[in-house]
Amino acid sequence: MSDYDNVGDGDDGENESIESFRIFDDDRWDELPDNVREAAVVLGYTKKKWNNDICLESEDIDYVDLTQEQKDACKTLGYTESYWNSNDSDDEEDSEKNLCELLEQEEPEEKVLPLINTASAKEEDDDGKLPLHLAAECKASDAVVAALLKANPHAAKETDKAYRYPLHLAAEYKASKEVVNALLKAYPEAAQLRTDHRNSLPDDLAQKELSEIYNNTLGSRPLLIAAKCSAPEEVVEMLREAFPDAA
């Protein structure tokens, strides 16, 4: 018998513990059993919303106010009344996070975009990274990157404490071609620049150790970084065209 065959047994689930159900939240949309996927649709999920953990309008409704069909869907998904209502506290926690924290946790753009403004786009994290650095590193959408560049165009010319520009991070962490293209347009010269780590490394040993931490990309141009880190071929070609002499 599968984990979800017994889901929905009992009355309304008020007295059942969360542990008595299998919660499918960590499964990808295509991995869900058919009946679980159908239940998710009843609550308002689509494939994109499920895979990106995007909040639903129905989550603002208390369990007792859900329709019977929605309550049945909750049972199939393994959501007890207490589990469903706990989403309210999750939303409060999200509202307390700053822009950098949301980007680091790869939250969906629906949560990130409302926090982008001229002030937040200039805030740094403990590693000296601006939100634009984090967006490039954490594979944020091109809409988020565009909004960050609009709020703080100079960010494309800034380095973090490891002397990496947003373009270098985008190359290292396999950002999309749209993101790489936006960063190139914002600061084309970055394609020619190496990560300048000379002031941060006291000796050759430190250079070797730090280089290993950063995927052996210290002192490299974006093109070499992209090649070393197996970035998409279209990104590698884009960087090659931006600065052919780097090849």
Side-chain angles (χ1 to χ4, degrees):
M1 182 178 294
S2 67
D3 291 327
Y4 55 90
D5 283 337
N6 285 330
V7 173
D9 290 346
D11 297 328
D12 285 334
E14 289 89 347
N15 299 320
E16 295 163 340
S17 67
I18 293 175
E19 289 76 12
S20 67
F21 294 118
R22 173 180 174 187
I23 305 296
F24 294 89
D25 288 356
D26 292 333
D27 294 359
R28 303 290 288 177
W29 182 263
D30 292 335
E31 298 170 346
L32 297 175
D34 290 342
N35 66 318
V36 174
R37 194 182 302 117
E38 290 170 2
V41 170
V42 169
L43 292 177
Y45 279 109
T46 62
K47 180 175 182 178
K48 179 179 179 181
K49 288 181 178 180
W50 181 275
N51 287 341
N52 292 285
D53 196 23
I54 297 174
C55 291
L56 304 174
E57 292 183 6
S58 59
E59 290 181 1
D60 294 330
I61 305 174
D62 287 338
Y63 185 86
V64 294
D65 295 324
L66 293 175
T67 66
Q68 188 56 51
E69 184 183 23
Q70 289 172 322
K71 288 181 179 179
D72 291 341
C74 284
K75 290 180 182 180
T76 302
L77 287 163
Y79 300 160
T80 62
E81 180 175 351
S82 59
Y83 184 89
W84 177 266
N85 289 336
S86 70
N87 284 324
D88 293 338
S89 60
D90 291 341
D91 291 341
E92 291 176 3
E93 291 177 4
D94 284 341
S95 67
E96 296 174 357
K97 296 176 183 176
N98 61 35
L99 178 58
C100 287
E101 289 173 333
L102 290 178
L103 289 166
E104 287 172 345
Q105 295 170 14
E106 300 185 18
E107 296 285 2
E109 64 180 37
E110 286 80 1
K111 293 183 179 181
V112 175
L113 287 172
L115 292 186
I116 298 176
N117 53 57
T118 54
S120 65
K122 296 178 181 177
E123 296 176 354
E124 295 183 358
D125 69 1
D126 293 338
D127 295 320
K129 293 175 182 173
L130 293 165
L132 185 62
H133 292 91
L134 294 170
E137 179 179 338
C138 298
K139 297 183 180 178
S141 69
D142 53 316
V144 168
V145 170
L148 288 170
L149 284 169
K150 182 177 181 180
N152 183 14
H154 191 71
K157 303 178 181 180
E158 297 287 343
T159 64
D160 62 9
K161 289 183 179 179
Y163 296 88
R164 296 173 297 178
Y165 294 87
L167 183 62
H168 294 75
L169 289 167
E172 182 175 349
Y173 290 94
K174 305 178 185 178
S176 69
K177 65 176 183 179
E178 290 81 10
V179 167
V180 171
N181 186 50
L183 294 174
L184 277 171
K185 287 183 177 179
Y187 187 40
E189 292 83 356
Q192 306 176 29
L193 300 175
R194 300 177 186 274
T195 48
D196 184 2
H197 55 278
R198 289 170 295 181
N199 296 326
S200 64
L201 302 176
D203 52 42
D204 290 342
L205 177 60
Q207 178 174 341
K208 180 179 183 297
E209 291 177 347
L210 196 57
S211 181
E212 291 175 353
I213 293 174
Y214 291 109
N215 297 325
N216 295 309
T217 60
L218 288 176
S220 300
R221 295 187 176 96
L223 175 59
L224 181 57
I225 294 174
K228 282 184 176 180
C229 297
S230 301
E233 183 57 37
E234 53 195 358
V235 168
V236 174
E237 186 58 33
M238 189 180 298
L239 292 169
R240 183 179 291 113
E241 292 177 359
F243 186 53
D245 290 345

